[in-house]
Structure formats: structure tokens, C-alpha cells
């Protein structure tokens, strides 16, 4: 066997072992050998390397049987940290996680404007702060992933963010000029779908996640891989036209789906109906509890517009798992049942429909998980948030 082949096989075995240790949480060398079907000698050598690198740790498991307590292996969560950033229209969310994907710190910074240079400086300052915070760990800050609410090319260039009016911005390059850290730029909806697979729906290879806050973004996993399209722009379903000659959109079209089925559009209409400004989730919850007719009618209309787009997506992609990331749907009783009642086509097939448990943290959690996956160099990763 050529030396290169041996090194490649060793790398594959290493990735497999790390993945299984993370997936199992605690596992012995013997069980690791059984699960991976690698020899005990291979396991012994690889585990020794990982212990030396401080990526894993040993512990003894309590048991009531006679004999030696088994030595268990687990990921060293404190060996390094990942930073996920969700760059939205009115705010930026920074979440720092350990290597196991559990958040250890979150900051939400309100944005005063859309000035690119000011926002760039703000992001640089915060990354430096987190980098210093992680400096005592073995690997420090292992990576930074930024979720963008807009169109991102395959080479990680920001092609367009409608709400900020940014075009052709190389945020990755601009950040790397100031920082000696691995930076990745990704569409926020893609990160949401990745988070759903990594943290919740581990066995779902064909998963769609719909992010419905300031706009609508679609993250698509087909056979476990993100669907990005020719240039990387796949998933911009918020700009699918559902009302010909409808409301004008920032993208230049009329009647785009996100003008009728995003949370931002709903709350704009809710404010107009009640002649108030900046109504909140708490206000909406009270209106629903009081069975306010105007609000209930608006919610029913919202569900219908949502279902129009979902029907198109289901027919196009035939997903196994469909996840709706929307806080207001959590407030509306029987929302899932009402949505399903509007998906009446005899040719629309999907397996499961959920409202996301991760909510507004999905993008940053997906970003952290992506950074961890890249750092550990594993093809797949399943994480669990520790309480």
C-alpha cells in the first residue's frame, strides 16, 4: 500500500472515531471497535493520538458489576470553542458554543443602520473579544461562521442582501484582513436546516427548513447535503411570486411570498389593523387569547398564504421532514393542523411537518455546528445541547 493511501485511510478512521464518540456521548474502546468495525489495535492507536491532542478525555463509568470499571471516552468540550453569528436586518446575534455544540454565551447587538463599514467594524471587535475569551483553551476559537439573510455565492461572496441593500460584498475577505481566524459565510436558511439535522432530526436525510422572520429563506438538505444550485443561490423561495401584480418587493418583483407569509409582513399588517406601532409576540398572544376577530382573520389569511408556498415547495422537492422556523406559529393554537388542512393536493407528499424547537437560535446554532464540523474534519456530526 502506498504511503499516501495509508495516511488517507488513517484520516478516514480518525473522522469515523470522532463522529461516533460525539454521537454516543460516552463510549468504551471495546464498544467503539464494535460500532466502527475497526480493529482494537487501530482504535488504540487513534484514541492515544486524540487523547494526546486533548480532543477527547477519559473517565470511569460507575457500575454495579464485579470487576474493573470500564474506561469511557468522550469529547473534550472545553478544548476549543466555535462562534456562530446571525447577521439579520435590525440586529446581530453572536453565540459562542463549546466543541459539543452547547452555547456558553450569547450577545444580541441592535443595528442602528445598514452601513457596511460600521457593521464590519462591529463584527471584527466582537470576534476579537470572543477570541481573547477563548485563549486559555487548547485550541481557542476554532472557527467563525456567519449567517447572511441574502444571496451568497459558492465562493462565499455576498451577492445581495435586499434589506441592507448590500451588493457584491466580500465580508469573508474583509474580516480575514483583520483577523487570523477561519471565517465562513453561509446563507442563514442553510444554517437553520443544518442545525435541524445536527441537533434534532439526526436520521432525516431529506430535510427542508423554512426560516420565516425578517423574510423567508429555505434551507434544503438532499441526501444529507445542502442544495445550493449552480451559483449557490438555491433556496430563495421568499421571492417566489404567489400574487401576480401584488405588493412591491425590495428584490424588484411584485407579489413575493415573503411579503405575505413572513413574520415581518404579518406584524406590519397587525400594526395597521390595530393602528398601533411595534406590536410584540406578547401582544399577539393576548389578542389570540382574547379571540380578537381581526387578529384571528389575519392569522387565517397568513396560514393560507403560507400553505400556497409550502404546497409549491412540497411538489418541487418531496421532502421527508419539513421544519417551519416561526415563533408566531407557536402562539397560534393548532397551527400545524390548520396548515395541513390547507395542503390538500393529492400529489403533494411529505413525511413530517414540525415547528422548530430551535427558533431564532437555529441559524447561530447551525453556524456553531458547521464550525465544529470543519474543525474536527468529520463528514457528519450529531450534537446534543447539554442543560
Amino acid at each position: 500500500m502506498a504511503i499516501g493511501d495509508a495516511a488517507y485511510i488513517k484520516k478516514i478512521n480518525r473522522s469515523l472515531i470522532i463522529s461516533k464518540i460525539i454521537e454516543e456521548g460516552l463510549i468504551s474502546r471495546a464498544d467503539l471497535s464494535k460500532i466502527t468495525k475497526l480493529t482494537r489495535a487501530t482504535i488504540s492507536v487513534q484514541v492515544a493520538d486524540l487523547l494526546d491532542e486533548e480532543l477527547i478525555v477519559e473517565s470511569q463509568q460507575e457500575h454495579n458489576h464485579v470487576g474493573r470499571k470500564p474506561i469511557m471516552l468522550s469529547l473534550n468540550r472545553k478544548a476549543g470553542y466555535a462562534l456562530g453569528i446571525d447577521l439579520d436586518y435590525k440586529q446581530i446575534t453572536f453565540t459562542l458554543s463549546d466543541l459539543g455544540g452547547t452555547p456558553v454565551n450569547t450577545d444580541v447587538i441592535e443595528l442602528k443602520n445598514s452601513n457596511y463599514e460600521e457593521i464590519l467594524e462591529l463584527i471584527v471587535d466582537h470576534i476579537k473579544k470572543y477570541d481573547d475569551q477563548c485563549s486559555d483553551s487548547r485550541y481557542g476559537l476554532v472557527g467563525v461562521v456567519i449567517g447572511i439573510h441574502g444571496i451568497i455565492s459558492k465562493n462565499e461572496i455576498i451577492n445581495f442582501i435586499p434589506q441592507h441593500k448590500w451588493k457584491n460584498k466580500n465580508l469573508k475577505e474583509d474580516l480575514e484582513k483583520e483577523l487570523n481566524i477561519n471565517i465562513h459565510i453561509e446563507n442563514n436558511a442553510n444554517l437553520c436546516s443544518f442545525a435541524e439535522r445536527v441537533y434534532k432530526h439526526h436520521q432525516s436525510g431529506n430535510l427542508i427548513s423554512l426560516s420565516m422572520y425578517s423574510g423567508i429563506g429555505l434551507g434544503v438538505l438532499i441526501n444529507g447535503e445542502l442544495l445550493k444550485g449552480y451559483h449557490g443561490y438555491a433556496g430563495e423561495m421568499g421571492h417566489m411570486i404567489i400574487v401576480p401584480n401584488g405588493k412591491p418587493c425590495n428584490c424588484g418583483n411584485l407579489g413575493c411570498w415573503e411579503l405575505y407569509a413572513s413574520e415581518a409582513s404579518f406584524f406590519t399588517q397587525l400594526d395597521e389593523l390595530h393602528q398601533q406601532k411595534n406590536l410584540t409576540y406578547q401582544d399577539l398572544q393576548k389578542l389570540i387569547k382574547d379571540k380578537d376577530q381581526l387578529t384571528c382573520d389575519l392569522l387565517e389569511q397568513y396560514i393560507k398564504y403560507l400553505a400556497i408556498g409550502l404546497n409549491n415547495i412540497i411538489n418541487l422537492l418531496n421532502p421527508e421532514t419539513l421544519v417551519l422556523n416561526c415563533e408566531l406559529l407557536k402562539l397560534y393554537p393548532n397551527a400545524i393542523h390548520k396548515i395541513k388542512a390547507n395542503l390538500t393536493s393529492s400529489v403533494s407528499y411529505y413525511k413530517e411537518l414540525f415547528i422548530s424547537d430551535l427558533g431564532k437560535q437555529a441559524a447561530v446554532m447551525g453556524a456553531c455546528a458547521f464550525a465544529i464540523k470543519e474543525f474536527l474534519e468529520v463528514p457528519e456530526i450529531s450534537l446534543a445541547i447539554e442543560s
Side-chain angles (χ1 to χ4, degrees):
M1 182 184 292
I3 294 175
D5 291 339
Y8 178 66
I9 291 171
K10 184 177 181 180
K11 183 177 180 180
I12 291 175
N13 291 341
R14 174 190 172 93
S15 295
L16 177 61
I17 289 167
I18 293 173
S19 295
K20 292 303 178 184
I21 291 173
I22 294 172
E23 185 178 328
E24 296 296 322
L26 280 171
I27 189 169
S28 67
R29 287 170 174 80
D31 287 340
L32 194 54
S33 178
K34 290 177 185 176
I35 290 175
T36 61
K37 295 182 171 55
L38 297 174
T39 66
R40 293 200 176 196
T42 298
I43 295 293
S44 179
V45 170
Q46 290 273 7
V47 164
D49 288 343
L50 293 171
L51 286 168
D52 186 56
E53 295 167 28
E54 297 182 28
L55 283 175
I56 63 173
V57 292
E58 290 181 319
S59 61
Q60 286 195 317
Q61 188 177 42
E62 294 295 329
H63 72 141
N64 299 320
H65 305 294
V66 176
R68 185 177 175 184
K69 294 178 182 178
I71 296 175
M72 308 300 286
L73 306 171
S74 61
L75 180 71
N76 182 4
R77 288 173 169 264
K78 296 181 180 180
Y81 297 87
L83 181 61
I85 302 174
D86 183 11
L87 174 53
D88 205 343
Y89 174 44
K90 294 183 178 180
Q91 63 185 31
I92 306 180
T93 302
F94 298 82
T95 291
L96 188 73
S97 82
D98 61 26
L99 279 189
T102 296
V104 296
N105 192 76
T106 294
D107 289 318
V108 179
I109 308 299
E110 299 299 320
L111 294 178
K112 297 178 181 178
N113 56 57
S114 291
N115 183 278
Y116 178 77
E117 297 300 330
E118 289 183 22
I119 293 174
L120 173 65
E121 184 178 354
L122 186 154
I123 294 172
V124 168
D125 288 345
H126 277 76
I127 292 176
K128 287 180 177 178
K129 182 191 77 171
Y130 281 113
D131 191 29
D132 289 341
Q133 185 178 325
C134 301
S135 60
D136 290 339
S137 63
R138 170 71 183 262
Y139 295 98
L141 190 59
V142 302
V144 177
V145 177
I146 304 175
I148 302 295
H149 295 241
I151 301 173
I152 310 299
S153 68
K154 283 187 175 179
N155 58 356
E156 301 182 62
I157 303 293
I158 297 174
N159 179 266
F160 183 45
I161 300 181
Q163 290 169 321
H164 282 300
K165 302 292 194 301
W166 292 357
K167 290 185 177 180
N168 302 318
K169 298 293 185 182
N170 197 337
L171 180 61
K172 175 183 171 74
E173 183 178 279
D174 291 339
L175 289 171
E176 288 179 341
K177 287 176 184 176
E178 303 289 332
L179 303 160
N180 185 29
I181 299 171
N182 292 323
I183 306 285
H184 288 286
I185 309 295
E186 183 56 88
N187 174 270
N188 78 297
N190 285 342
L191 293 174
C192 287
S193 64
F194 186 67
E196 296 294 342
R197 169 70 187 273
V198 168
Y199 288 99
K200 295 290 179 179
H201 308 284
H202 302 306
Q203 306 305 317
S204 182
N206 292 278
L207 181 147
I208 288 173
S209 174
L210 200 67
S211 182
M212 303 167 61
Y213 296 107
S214 56
I216 292 182
L218 185 73
V220 182
L221 285 167
I222 302 294
N223 296 325
E225 298 292 330
L226 282 171
L227 178 67
K228 294 195 174 185
Y230 180 60
H231 288 106
Y233 304 159
E236 289 298 323
M237 298 300 287
H239 298 286
M240 166 178 60
I241 296 171
I242 65 164
V243 179
N245 300 314
K247 300 174 184 177
C249 182
N250 285 328
C251 76
N253 282 328
L254 302 175
C256 289
W257 190 28
E258 67 178 37
L259 301 178
Y260 300 87
S262 68
E263 285 200 358
S265 68
F266 176 85
F267 276 104
T268 296
Q269 293 176 78
L270 192 67
D271 286 351
E272 292 172 356
L273 274 178
H274 292 282
Q275 298 182 340
Q276 297 186 48
K277 288 185 178 180
N278 302 317
L279 288 170
T280 65
Y281 292 118
Q282 290 74 25
D283 296 324
L284 175 59
Q285 191 168 29
K286 185 177 186 305
L287 288 166
I288 292 171
K289 185 179 179 181
D290 294 342
K291 297 182 179 180
D292 177 78
Q293 193 60 49
L294 288 174
T295 302
C296 291
D297 290 345
L298 184 62
L299 281 164
E300 291 298 318
Q301 178 182 282
Y302 177 81
I303 292 291
K304 288 179 181 178
Y305 280 125
L306 172 58
I308 291 172
L310 288 180
N311 188 76
N312 293 341
I313 292 167
I314 292 166
N315 285 338
L316 181 66
L317 296 170
N318 180 216
E320 175 186 3
T321 305
L322 184 55
V323 184
L324 307 180
N325 198 313
C326 179
E327 292 299 309
L328 75 83
L329 288 177
K330 293 180 181 179
L331 303 178
Y332 193 32
N334 300 314
I336 287 291
H337 174 75
K338 290 176 181 291
I339 294 167
K340 288 181 177 179
N342 281 274
L343 299 174
T344 57
S345 172
S346 61
V347 296
S348 293
Y349 293 100
Y350 63 94
K351 184 179 179 182
E352 300 172 303
L353 177 63
F354 299 100
I355 297 175
S356 174
D357 291 332
L358 295 175
K360 290 187 175 181
Q361 290 298 303
V364 283
M365 295 306 296
C368 290
F370 187 90
I372 293 166
K373 178 179 177 291
E374 290 293 300
F375 169 67
L376 295 176
E377 298 181 301
V378 292
E380 292 187 6
I381 191 167
S382 295
L383 301 174
I385 300 173
E386 287 194 342
S387 56

